[in-house]
Amino acid sequence: MKIYLFCMLFLAILTIKSTSIAVGQSIEKIVHIEDPVLQLEAVLQFPANFGKDTIALKNALDPILTLANRTNNSILKWGYYMRMADGYSIAFDRTNAVSDQYYGLAEQLLQKHNNIELEMIGYARQGYYNYVYRKVKEAFPFFLRANDLKSKIDIKKIPLVVKHYQFIANFYSYIGDHSIAVDYLQEALPFSKAASRERVDLINAIAVYLANDSLNHQAATYFNRAMAEAKLAKDSVWIGIISGNLADQAWKAGDRQKAIALVQKNIDLSMRFNERKDAMRANLNLASWYIVLKEWKLAKQYAVTSISLMEEKPYFLKYKMEASKLLSDIARGLNQKEEELKQLHVYLILKDSLEKRINDKEIQRFLWQRETERYNRTIQSAEEKRLHTKRIYQFVGLCLILVFAIVLLLINRSKAKIKMRNTLLEKDRLKLGYEKQLLDQELLILKDSLGEFTNTIKQNDTTIQQLRQEIVKVSVQNPAYMAEVSDSLNAMLQAHIMTDERWLKFKHVFDKVHPGYLTQMKQNYSKITDNDLRILALQKLDLNNSSMSELLCVSTEAIKKAKQRLKKKMELRDQEMNPH
């Protein structure tokens, strides 16, 4: 045991020494780099991943701070702050106060030592830091500021141009603005090394973003260019990935044989080099094509292979849903009714989960648009204030020099104030109009959401009835299948029932779309209960008794009786109000 502990201690000492030697060698290299951009690039690539060991992080990066202080180099110090922020984000695996503090120190440093290129990259890195850890809304202002500075910087002074422009492009692609993402990547392309994985990645990403905007001809050009670059680099992984992308283009062009050959090549290379995600997507794609060709067995083979490559992570939710839908279609093609119903049920559950995520993403896009407009208004307002201040100083100077024209200048100043007041009033009017428009848009979204809810309830009601009929049909002949269908029915009913929590969420949306309806009914008919309010709300949406009974988890007869009692309460109140 002692020997084992001694060996472990010895290995730890060796690791510390080797790390120290590597750090020392890196610092020596940084000292001898004369170009400030290349020197900063070396700092920004300095080791910062020490897991949760923040002491090792500090020890590794301290030589950079020492060098920066000794040479009074603000650029190196800025790089030190960036790497410390990176290291702490890795240690915590989330956004955290320490990383935020280092980003703040970097920003304060640039206020003393103006450097517009570092200012832009600082915003891009802090925005990407928030984006990576799923704080998308918090990332908005940083990417807005970075993009605003883009036209003012010298791109040759940007350290690690490709990496930082990829950060920005990834974010813009996420919010659906692929054209801006393409612009950033195209500007970064000349700074990537020929026949390198980095360059192939850039060109392929441009092609993907163009395809997302349905610019298929341009996308095909870039895909072919990426393939040529990958072959030049002898990068088999990227050759496989791009083969899959070219397969999509060939399929859209109608060349099915070529498309299938390309995607099979993609699968072979991806599996050979353990690119499981890409292999999973390619298998799923090929399964969908074989369904079109009605090659059911081959379609099932590739769909099942795709599922075997999926993991229990949120990223795979979309692909699991697609796989269930494909298996349902295949079962229908093979006339396997039981399997079709089973896969369709799985598909509906996954679809419901995915739609919640999509809705969140749509809200983020809406918030991005609103944040962009607010930022632009702030910039415009600041510019107007700057110009106004400039005019005041000019006016004061002219007053001191041109005493004889003071009366005329005062009149002009008065006119300018009136004009400014009118402008501000007009801005306020436009602002109120814009806020009203936002409220109208929100109401429209809520109406659509409520309409979609009603349609879903009706569709689920139909599915539930079908499942019940299926139970009746097979209750004697096939008890095992009946149990499976019953499980499906019970699962759907559980997801279908309006619990108290779901009622509160539903009532919030209903009140927005039909403001005051339930409140007014409660005021007019004081004896109405909460259950009566639920009946009134569902009646307002034109749901039938069957749908209400499934939703409220009571019998149809109970719904009818509840409606009768509600009607009597209302008639009794009306009679009291109008005795004659």
Side-chain angles (χ1 to χ4, degrees):
M1 186 66 180
K2 289 181 179 179
I3 295 172
Y4 173 75
L5 290 173
F6 175 77
C7 290
M8 293 300 293
L9 181 62
F10 181 69
L11 286 173
I13 293 169
L14 282 179
T15 302
I16 293 169
K17 285 186 175 181
S18 62
T19 303
S20 300
I21 293 169
V23 168
Q25 290 174 344
S26 299
I27 287 293
E28 284 300 315
K29 288 180 181 178
I30 290 171
V31 170
H32 292 95
I33 297 173
E34 295 181 2
D35 187 326
V37 175
L38 295 178
Q39 192 177 50
L40 180 57
E41 286 184 351
V43 170
L44 292 177
Q45 295 178 92
F46 211 80
N49 185 354
F50 293 88
K52 297 184 181 299
D53 191 350
T54 55
I55 295 175
L57 171 69
K58 289 179 181 178
N59 291 338
L61 294 178
D62 267 348
I64 297 175
L65 182 61
T66 303
L67 176 62
N69 288 332
R70 189 177 76 240
T71 57
N72 197 25
N73 191 324
S74 60
I75 294 176
L76 287 184
K77 184 177 282 190
W78 181 89
Y80 165 78
Y81 289 146
M82 287 291 114
R83 289 310 274 161
M84 286 296 287
D86 293 341
Y88 271 95
S89 72
I90 294 167
F92 285 95
D93 195 27
R94 57 180 169 82
T95 59
N96 60 88
V98 182
S99 291
D100 292 341
Q101 180 185 4
Y102 278 111
Y103 282 123
L105 289 171
E107 189 172 356
Q108 291 173 19
L109 186 67
L110 294 182
Q111 290 174 357
K112 298 177 183 177
H113 307 277
N114 184 43
N115 188 315
I116 196 168
E117 285 78 21
L118 296 190
E119 187 179 354
M120 176 190 176
I121 295 310
Y123 288 141
R125 290 177 76 96
Q126 193 167 1
Y128 200 68
Y129 151 78
N130 281 283
Y131 163 70
V132 164
Y133 292 109
R134 293 294 180 266
K135 291 199 171 182
V136 180
K137 185 179 178 182
E138 287 80 354
F140 289 168
F142 297 109
F143 282 112
L144 280 169
R145 292 172 199 162
N147 192 56
D148 189 47
L149 293 173
K150 180 170 175 277
S151 61
K152 304 171 186 175
I153 57 96
D154 180 355
I155 193 171
K156 293 179 181 178
K157 294 182 180 179
I158 295 288
L160 302 175
V161 178
V162 174
K163 179 178 181 179
H164 290 125
Y165 273 34
Q166 279 180 319
F167 286 171
I168 302 173
N170 288 344
F171 173 78
Y172 275 100
S173 172
Y174 175 79
I175 61 171
D177 201 336
H178 303 298
S179 61
I180 292 183
V182 168
D183 289 342
Y184 272 100
L185 295 185
Q186 285 177 331
E187 289 194 32
L189 196 55
F191 295 89
S192 60
K193 185 180 178 182
S196 66
R197 174 166 284 197
E198 179 184 68
R199 189 175 182 84
V200 177
D201 187 10
L202 273 180
I203 299 171
N204 182 71
I206 291 171
V208 170
Y209 296 155
L210 289 169
N212 287 338
D213 277 344
S214 300
L215 300 172
N216 295 320
H217 180 70
Q218 295 179 44
T221 301
Y222 275 97
F223 279 132
N224 288 321
R225 185 176 169 186
M227 178 61 83
E229 201 76 33
K231 288 179 178 177
L232 193 63
K234 297 179 180 179
D235 193 324
S236 298
V237 172
W238 270 109
I239 289 172
I241 294 170
I242 299 164
S243 294
N245 291 332
L246 286 170
D248 289 334
Q249 299 292 312
W251 184 267
K252 290 174 184 176
D255 194 342
R256 295 179 173 181
Q257 188 175 358
K258 180 181 177 182
I260 290 172
L262 282 168
V263 83
Q264 285 175 335
K265 180 180 180 181
N266 181 13
I267 292 169
D268 291 341
L269 289 171
S270 295
M271 291 303 294
R272 190 186 308 170
F273 294 97
N274 200 31
E275 291 289 332
R276 292 174 62 86
K277 284 183 183 178
D278 192 58
M280 177 271 295
R281 290 191 295 264
N283 274 283
L284 203 60
N285 208 15
L286 193 52
S288 69
W289 291 350
Y290 276 124
I291 287 174
V292 174
L293 298 174
K294 297 184 178 180
E295 296 281 352
W296 308 114
K297 291 184 179 179
L298 283 172
K300 185 173 183 179
Q301 173 190 329
Y302 285 104
V304 170
T305 302
S306 177
I307 292 170
S308 70
L309 295 169
M310 296 179 188
E311 301 173 24
E312 291 300 324
K313 293 181 180 179
Y315 169 83
F316 293 91
L317 183 61
K318 171 188 172 184
Y319 300 106
K320 287 182 178 180
M321 183 193 75
E322 290 178 8
S324 296
K325 184 64 171 65
L326 292 178
L327 288 173
S328 174
D329 293 340
I330 292 166
R332 185 169 64 250
L334 294 171
N335 199 27
Q336 297 172 347
K337 298 295 182 183
E338 181 181 345
E339 181 67 15
E340 179 187 359
L341 186 63
K342 175 184 173 182
Q343 293 299 332
L344 192 59
H345 175 64
V346 174
Y347 165 75
L348 289 172
I349 293 173
L350 294 172
K351 185 173 182 286
D352 184 55
S353 299
L354 188 63
E355 281 176 349
K356 291 178 182 176
R357 295 175 180 272
I358 292 171
N359 288 338
D360 290 341
K361 192 170 180 179
E362 289 300 323
I363 290 169
Q364 287 171 354
R365 288 179 182 173
F366 173 74
L367 291 174
W368 166 255
Q369 292 172 355
R370 192 169 67 178
E371 190 71 25
T372 302
E373 290 164 358
R374 185 185 299 166
Y375 177 79
N376 290 335
R377 287 199 303 271
T378 302
I379 294 296
Q380 183 181 355
S381 176
E383 182 64 16
E384 288 175 355
K385 287 179 181 178
R386 187 186 68 80
L387 292 173
H388 182 62
T389 304
K390 183 178 179 180
R391 290 192 192 101
I392 291 175
Y393 280 123
Q394 290 173 343
F395 175 75
V396 171
L398 288 171
C399 284
L400 293 173
I401 298 169
L402 306 173
V403 179
F404 64 92
I406 192 168
V407 175
L408 180 62
L409 290 172
L410 286 173
I411 293 172
N412 288 337
R413 185 181 182 187
S414 177
K415 288 181 179 180
K417 283 185 176 180
I418 292 170
K419 184 177 179 181
M420 184 61 69
R421 191 180 298 114
N422 290 337
T423 301
L424 291 174
L425 289 172
E426 180 64 17
K427 280 182 66 179
D428 288 340
R429 186 185 69 78
L430 291 172
K431 182 179 178 182
L432 289 172
Y434 175 71
E435 290 175 351
K436 181 180 180 301
Q437 183 182 356
L438 283 180
L439 289 173
D440 291 342
Q441 289 176 352
E442 182 183 3
L443 181 59
L444 183 61
I445 291 170
L446 289 172
K447 283 182 178 178
D448 290 342
S449 177
L450 195 59
E452 185 179 347
F453 167 81
T454 306
N455 291 334
T456 301
I457 292 302
K458 291 178 179 178
Q459 290 171 5
N460 284 354
D461 184 41
T462 301
T463 304
I464 289 168
Q465 295 305 324
Q466 289 174 351
L467 287 172
R468 284 179 169 163
Q469 291 170 8
E470 189 74 9
I471 289 173
V472 173
K473 288 180 183 178
V474 300
S475 59
V476 178
Q477 294 89 343
N478 194 343
Y481 176 58
M482 185 190 73
E484 185 176 343
V485 175
S486 296
D487 291 342
S488 299
L489 177 59
N490 290 332
M492 182 166 283
L493 286 172
Q494 287 299 318
H496 196 57
I497 292 170
M498 181 178 284
T499 61
D500 289 342
E501 182 182 356
R502 289 175 181 166
W503 161 248
L504 291 175
K505 292 179 180 178
F506 166 80
K507 185 174 179 296
H508 175 72
V509 177
F510 184 92
D511 286 339
K512 290 280 188 179
V513 178
H514 301 288
Y517 176 78
L518 295 179
T519 304
Q520 188 64 42
M521 296 300 286
K522 186 69 175 175
Q523 290 175 353
N524 291 347
Y525 307 101
S526 58
K527 293 185 179 181
I528 284 179
T529 65
D530 285 342
N531 287 335
D532 292 333
L533 290 177
R534 296 189 187 193
I535 295 292
L536 286 169
L538 297 176
Q539 278 183 317
K540 187 75 173 173
L541 298 180
D542 292 329
L543 290 180
N544 58 32
N545 290 344
S546 176
S547 294
M548 289 186 194
S549 69
E550 298 294 353
L551 192 60
L552 299 178
C553 196
V554 296
S555 67
T556 307
E557 198 62 32
I559 293 294
K560 291 178 181 178
K561 288 180 180 180
K563 285 185 175 181
Q564 290 171 0
R565 288 194 295 271
L566 176 59
K567 185 178 180 183
K568 286 180 181 179
K569 290 177 186 178
M570 296 171 74
E571 287 175 349
L572 183 61
R573 175 59 178 165
D574 290 340
Q575 288 173 5
E576 291 175 356
M577 295 298 292
N578 302 292
H580 299 294

